[in-house]
Amino acid sequence: MGAMSLPGSFSPSLRGAVDLSSLGRPAPAPASAAASPSGVVLDVTDATLEAAILGTREVPALFVLWDGQSPQTKAALDNAVAAAQKVAGRVRVCSVDIRTAPGTAQAFQVQQIPVTLAIIGAQPVPLFAGVQPVAQLDAVLDQVLQLASQHGVTGTFDARPAEAAAADEGADLPVAHALAYEAIERGDYAAAVAAYEQALKDNPADADAKAGLAQVQLLQRVAAADPAAARAAAAERPGDVAAQLLVADLDVSGGHVEDAFARLVDLIRATSDEDRDRVRTHLLGLFEVVGSADDRVVKARRALMSALF
């Protein structure tokens, strides 16, 4: 996962990109995890890290890693929340307590705590270590939003406190969708898949369920993958359809969407019959993950039609 560049004088505190491979297959998050009092905050655990990163394809996020046993480090989180509330709904704050999310801390490869970074479109943007005042964070958020806009990440979310949002949404949210969200939160991707499949059985035209199913299936496929081994296998066996599909999944989950699409379009040109149809179907599923309106999907659809005909 390559890092984007953010203009300014902030010093990177990360040794490299986020390495999700260290998580392996995480244990479910504890059911007693406290809800965040502010709607801009998402509490991230080892089980929900991948979902949180995928969410940055729609809304940019500040990831704040702090230590629950070192109260002074929480100031970095509090200041990030105060700044994010000023642009409510445009930047999410992801809270990572390294004491309860050790795998996430390892994945980010940080050198000191607290540390703050942005993730935009599933790609990391190193920011700074330590605690910065809210006034300085205002300028940081302006730059994060500018960079996000340049990469087409311009979504918004309901930034009201969780209780207020839940009161409005609870009545309208289909039961199957609510079950899927709960399953994702605890890292149970199989249950989330089943919930979305039920939603589509109830309403085959449910576009949100179709997109959610594709996204959770991607998480399910890459959860136990060893990225280095997968890429080595794909390089050694260019005609191995399964190996190529897995690397395409890893590329999409890591934000390298165009690389994934190009790999599969080339594979369609090199295959035939059942293998070709398998690759085409997989590619269409990745289109659902990224979103049909995304320019990269539009471009890849044209390439797919050219490869097929």
Side-chain angles (χ1 to χ4, degrees), residues 115-157:
V115 65
T116 301
L117 67 149
I119 294 187
I120 301 170
Q123 296 192 50
V125 184
L127 295 179
F128 54 80
V131 178
Q132 298 292 338
V134 175
Q136 184 166 341
L137 285 173
D138 291 342
V140 174
L141 285 185
D142 285 343
Q143 293 182 323
V144 167
L145 286 169
Q146 290 176 22
L147 185 60
S149 179
Q150 292 169 13
H151 287 79
V153 181
T154 57
T156 60
F157 65 97

Side-chain angles (χ1 to χ4, degrees), residues 92-114:
R92 196 184 300 278
V93 176
C94 291
S95 168
V96 181
D97 179 352
I98 65 169
R99 297 292 174 172
T100 57
T104 299
Q106 182 181 353
F108 281 108
Q109 304 178 60
V110 295
Q111 295 175 312
Q112 63 185 102
I113 297 294

